[in-house]
Amino acid sequence: MMIEEVQTHVAKVYAIWLREFKVFLREKSRLVASTFTPILWLFVIGSGIGSATTVSAAPSLDYQQFIFPGIVSMSIIFTSVFYGSYIIWDRKFDFLKSVMVAPVSRGAVFVGKTLGGMTNSLVQALILLAIGAAIGIPLTPLSVVQAVAVIMLMSFGLTSLGLALGSYMYSLEGFQMIVSFVVFPLFFLSGALFPLDNLPAWLSVLTAIDPATYGVSAMRGTMLGVGSANPALDFAILTAYTGALGLFGIYSFKRMKAV
């Protein structure tokens, strides 16, 4: 009986994930637009600032290579958190109401939607990894697998955060305003664009409480061999953040009103 219940829950989560993934596949313009911005940052910012900057923390790398893991993280942060806007669209078109009255737990709805957002972020990150290989990022099969694990953790946690914020909002304008105060600090404080060595004390504290910091550090360590002296600790802290954000998302969904 317990196995049947688990299979039923998995089937419900899969159905919601499949719906989210099909929506993603139909909106090819969204994929192009959300991938273009990180590529622009990588080549314009990476080449422009890199022409006048050396990375003291990694002298063997040019600036474009150094920020590559941060640009992948940028794609994950923006795509995952802004994914919460789809809750508002679902509410406007009454799809959310139909899901909420179905015999599906809100926890299953949340997990299915979060996995959908995670898949979207993963597809975009894989495109960037392919571009990274083309510009000389020293990727190996092992480093790709490790990077994908970090990407999945980051995207699940940040998609949970985006959906949690979306569950409290009723207008896209309000959501975009609130989320702007979330995604930019997450990105700029993560060390995506600069080394975290020798920062002022107040800035070090802010970077230390940013979950994206540990994702950037772990990816930089797996891809480039630089970054934190303890990648396993980065991964553990990122896992803890992901679990906490997932629980926050489930709690928010249970309190959410469908209309």
Side-chain angles (χ1 to χ4, degrees), residues 24-255:
F24 172 71
L25 292 178
R26 293 192 186 109
E27 297 180 350
K28 295 181 177 60
S29 59
R30 191 176 98 199
L31 175 62
V32 173
S34 56
T35 306
F36 175 76
T37 301
I39 293 174
L40 185 68
W41 274 73
L42 178 64
F43 287 100
V44 176
I45 301 297
S47 299
I49 296 180
S51 64
T53 304
T54 58
V55 183
S56 59
S60 61
L61 302 173
D62 62 35
Y63 183 70
Q64 187 180 63
Q65 291 174 322
F66 178 78
I67 68 169
F68 177 76
I71 297 303
V72 175
S73 299
M74 172 189 181
S75 172
I76 297 167
I77 292 168
F78 281 75
T79 301
S80 299
V81 179
F82 276 102
Y83 189 79
S85 65
Y86 283 87
I87 288 295
I88 300 172
W89 281 111
D90 286 347
R91 185 183 282 117
K92 285 182 178 294
F93 292 108
D94 287 335
F95 175 78
L96 188 62
K97 185 188 298 183
S98 63
V99 171
M100 291 306 180
V101 299
V104 184
S105 70
R106 292 199 174 192
V109 173
F110 172 79
V111 172
K113 282 189 166 292
T114 305
L115 290 175
M118 184 187 75
T119 304
N120 297 356
S121 296
L122 180 60
V123 170
Q124 295 174 35
L126 289 176
I127 293 172
L128 292 174
L129 289 180
I131 293 172
I135 64 173
I137 302 298
L139 297 175
T140 65
L142 177 60
S143 67
V144 169
V145 170
Q146 291 173 331
V148 167
V150 175
I151 289 166
M152 292 175 69
L153 273 176
M154 274 189 73
S155 57
F156 189 93
L158 295 176
T159 301
S160 299
L161 176 61
L163 290 173
L165 294 174
S167 69
Y168 293 106
M169 307 298 295
Y170 292 88
S171 72
L172 286 172
E173 296 79 10
F175 176 82
Q176 290 171 353
M177 182 179 68
I178 294 298
V179 165
S180 294
F181 287 99
V182 175
V183 295
F184 288 108
L186 281 173
F187 173 54
F188 287 117
L189 294 173
S190 67
L193 302 178
F194 51 84
L196 298 181
D197 304 330
N198 302 319
L199 292 179
W202 66 271
L203 190 54
S204 295
V205 171
L206 294 178
T207 59
I209 62 176
D210 181 359
T213 298
Y214 304 97
V216 172
S217 180
M219 274 195 281
R220 192 166 278 146
T222 59
M223 294 181 191
L224 305 176
V226 299
S228 173
N230 194 341
L233 179 61
D234 288 335
F235 193 83
I237 294 174
L238 183 60
T239 301
Y241 265 115
T242 298
L245 291 172
L247 292 174
F248 173 58
I250 292 174
Y251 170 79
S252 300
F253 254 55
K254 289 182 178 179
R255 294 174 54 87

